[in-house]
Amino acid sequence: GGAHVHRGAFARGHALARQGNDYWNDSGGRICNAMFQSWIVLGLAGLGRTDEALALNARTIAHCRDTGDRFMEPECVRLRGELTLAAQPSDTATAERLLREALAIAEAQEALSWELRAATSLARLLQSRDRRAEAAACLAPVLERFTEGRETPDLRQAGELLAELA
C-alpha cells in the first residue's frame, strides 16, 4: 500500500494500507502503526480528502507520543505541516512551525532521512515566501551530510531545490 501511495496510485495504495493496518491491529500489532497510518494519510491526501487526512494524522502523532513508538514522529509532524498548507494555503505560520518542529525532532533522533524531508519541505515553504537565502541555509547543511544515495528521490529533489535556490 505504501509503495502504491508513494508512486501516486492513491486509491489502490490507500485501500491496501488501510487493509494492512486493519490486519495488523486485529492480530495485536501495535508497533509500526504510525508507518501504516502515514501511508493511509498520504493516500487520503492524494484523494483530496484532506480533512480526513488531518484527523488521522493528529491521531497518529498522538499515538507516537503516547506509546513511545516515535520512529515516524518527525515524518508525521512534517506531513501535518504539508497537510496544513493543503487545507489552508494562507496559514503559512502554522505550517512553518510544524515543519520546524519536525526538523527538530528528526535532529534529536539523529534521523537524517526524516531530517532531509523536513528540511526540504521547510525550504519549499520558505522559497514560496520569497525567503530563498533562509531556505538554502536550512537545506544545504542537511543535504551535505549525505555521502551516498544521491540517486534516491528524496536526495534528488533536495538537490534540485537547492540548485533552484542558488
Side-chain angles (χ1 to χ4, degrees), residues 2-68:
H4 284 291
V5 166
H6 285 287
R7 281 184 286 205
F10 299 114
R12 177 118 174 98
H14 170 262
L16 287 171
R18 187 169 295 280
Q19 181 182 37
N21 190 57
D22 290 346
Y23 287 147
W24 180 248
N25 287 323
D26 290 346
S27 70
R30 293 295 170 255
I31 60 168
C32 298
N33 275 356
M35 181 175 61
F36 285 119
Q37 290 173 356
S38 71
W39 297 337
I40 296 168
V41 165
L42 287 170
L44 288 168
L47 293 170
R49 295 163 56 185
T50 308
D51 290 341
E52 288 176 74
L54 279 163
L56 178 57
N57 176 263
R59 291 192 305 274
T60 304
I61 292 169
H63 165 81
C64 290
R65 293 173 178 170
D66 293 344
T67 66

Side-chain angles (χ1 to χ4, degrees), residues 82-133:
E82 295 280 352
L83 290 167
T84 297
L85 280 176
Q88 297 177 309
S90 64
D91 194 0
T92 58
T94 300
E96 182 176 342
R97 179 186 56 77
L98 287 163
L99 295 173
R100 289 187 185 281
E101 179 184 349
L103 187 58
I105 295 167
E107 287 173 350
Q109 289 183 357
E110 298 181 8
L112 188 55
S113 290
W114 294 147
E115 197 176 335
L116 178 69
R117 283 189 175 185
T120 302
S121 290
L122 179 57
R124 276 193 199 107
L125 174 61
L126 295 171
Q127 179 188 37
S128 76
R129 305 296 298 159
D130 205 26
R131 295 161 59 189
R132 298 172 69 82

Side-chain angles (χ1 to χ4, degrees), residues 143-153 155-156 159:
L143 187 58
E144 290 169 1
R145 290 174 35 216
F146 281 86
T147 59
E148 59 188 4
R150 294 286 178 177
E151 69 284 350
T152 63
L155 284 169
R156 260 196 334 263

